[in-house]
Amino acid sequence: MMAHRRAILGAAAGLVLGGGLPALAKPARLATRLPPRLRTGDIVALVEPASPLEDPSQIAEVADMVRAMGLRPKLAPHVGAVEGYLAGTDDERASDINAMIADPDVRALFAVRGGWGSARILPLIDWNAVRANPKLLIGFSDITGLHLAFAARAGFPTLHAPNAGGRWPADSWNSLWWLAFAGSAPVLDLRRHGGWPHPEFEVLSDGVAQGRLLGGNLSVLSALVGTPWMPDMCGAVLFLEDVGEAPYRIDRMMSQLALSGMLAEVAGVIFGQCTNCAARTADSVSVADVMRHHLGALGVPVCIGANIGHVANQLSLPSGAQVRLDAGQGTLAILQAIVA
């Protein structure tokens, strides 16, 4: 663990980034303050909004990972609970979010893992408290449901980044450090320079787009289309990724976005990749083919194969922040600090 701590902290020295309740009514006003920046020694909450760890005893290792970041982990009351494929009941998982948001000692919330379940707790979250106490939410995969809801109901940025129970190699840690600790607005290199898998970066449409960065896991995002938990995508820079889906299922979800009108509204698109989504028969199309079909003629800047999502060494991205995408150069300039 100490060796891993040195690897994490040493990387910072070279930070060069080459369900059954009715939905709440949309608030009249969103939060006007940014979340606080993270500092060495800060207390951060570990929450499980979705699925539990396969081995709940591993939570001690997750806490050690957070300590290696220089932070002090605080376990939410129901972390370690198991309810079928969920990390506790909906009420328990939501109450943990509410408790950690309301706790004045907690500076940010780290999701332990994804899986499934975040969407089920959206109506149970105290959104007035979230708006009154802006705090960074950090995680990805199924946590996309919370990122999108925070963007729609709270208005401040969150971090689409590895879950606390995942790995934090150089690109993941460096980009999180610049955004959450330094309070900087870096330029992120979307091309992959190491780690597995290593997809081909491809520019489908050159150009520059500026807007609010919104998106995440395609399966989760597509399931929220048409609900009050989806933020306004008009003029957004949309980013997408997925894992373990056949190309025809990706096609179906992209068709949902197209038929809903969402794709016609966005200012630009970044697709990472669909990990473990290879075609199973020789005559099947690839996920890249599906993306070329749905995104190639949008008339906005589009790139695919970006360093996003279920890949080793993924970038930490500021969901909900203003950004500038240069598809041809493969860069994403963050235009605002996401912490105060």
Side-chain angles (χ1 to χ4, degrees), residues 28-318:
R29 293 186 298 174
L30 298 178
T32 58
R33 294 183 294 120
L34 292 173
R37 73 180 60 205
L38 293 181
R39 305 162 304 190
T40 300
D42 276 349
I43 296 174
V44 296
L46 292 180
V47 295
E48 291 187 310
S51 296
L53 292 171
E54 293 182 6
D55 180 358
S57 68
Q58 292 175 336
I59 192 64
E61 297 176 16
V62 176
D64 283 343
M65 176 68 75
V66 172
R67 292 187 188 97
M69 297 178 180
L71 302 168
R72 292 187 289 162
K74 179 173 183 176
L75 272 61
H78 299 100
V79 167
V82 177
E83 182 80 10
Y85 46 72
L86 300 171
T89 67
D90 291 352
D91 285 339
E92 288 172 340
R93 300 192 325 280
S95 69
D96 277 0
I97 298 286
N98 292 335
M100 296 300 98
I101 287 290
D103 188 331
D105 294 329
V106 169
R107 301 273 288 188
L109 281 68
F110 278 77
V112 173
R113 68 159 293 189
W116 162 246
S118 296
R120 289 175 49 153
I121 68 173
L122 298 182
L124 304 177
I125 292 175
D126 185 344
W127 293 103
N128 288 327
V130 172
R131 288 188 290 274
N133 301 282
K135 297 179 182 182
L136 281 178
L137 170 71
I138 302 166
F140 87 116
S141 194
D142 190 70
I143 311 306
T144 292
L146 284 166
H147 287 308
L148 293 171
F150 270 59
R153 295 301 177 88
F156 55 81
T158 54
L159 270 172
H160 181 275
N163 297 316
R167 297 182 179 180
W168 286 87
D171 283 353
S172 305
W173 167 249
N174 291 351
S175 48
L176 177 127
W177 191 93
W178 277 113
L179 293 163
F181 285 80
S184 181
V187 177
L188 303 177
D189 184 353
L190 295 173
R191 302 170 189 267
R192 289 183 57 72
H193 299 287
W196 180 92
H198 203 297
E200 181 95 15
F201 185 86
E202 182 178 346
V203 179
L204 299 190
S205 299
D206 200 355
V208 176
Q210 184 169 317
R212 194 181 184 198
L213 183 67
L214 293 168
N217 182 265
L218 174 59
S219 298
V220 177
L221 182 146
S222 64
L224 290 183
V225 170
T227 74
W229 312 104
M230 178 67 75
D232 184 1
M233 290 287 182
C234 186
V237 175
L238 176 65
F239 71 99
L240 298 169
E241 62 85 30
D242 218 316
V243 61
E245 298 285 359
Y248 81 90
R249 293 172 63 91
I250 296 296
D251 191 6
R252 183 171 64 200
M253 290 183 276
M254 292 300 295
S255 295
Q256 164 77 350
L257 302 193
L259 293 171
S260 73
M262 180 187 298
L263 291 184
E265 295 181 335
V266 300
V269 184
I270 307 165
F271 184 74
Q273 71 171 56
C274 190
T275 302
N276 297 329
C277 300
R280 299 189 180 186
T281 60
D283 59 348
S284 293
V285 299
S286 67
V287 171
D289 292 331
V290 173
M291 291 301 152
R292 294 183 191 105
H293 170 79
H294 286 285
L295 304 177
L298 284 183
V300 300
V302 178
C303 57
I304 64 175
N307 190 13
I308 295 171
H310 290 77
V311 292
N313 216 22
Q314 66 167 299
L315 289 168
S316 298
L317 297 180

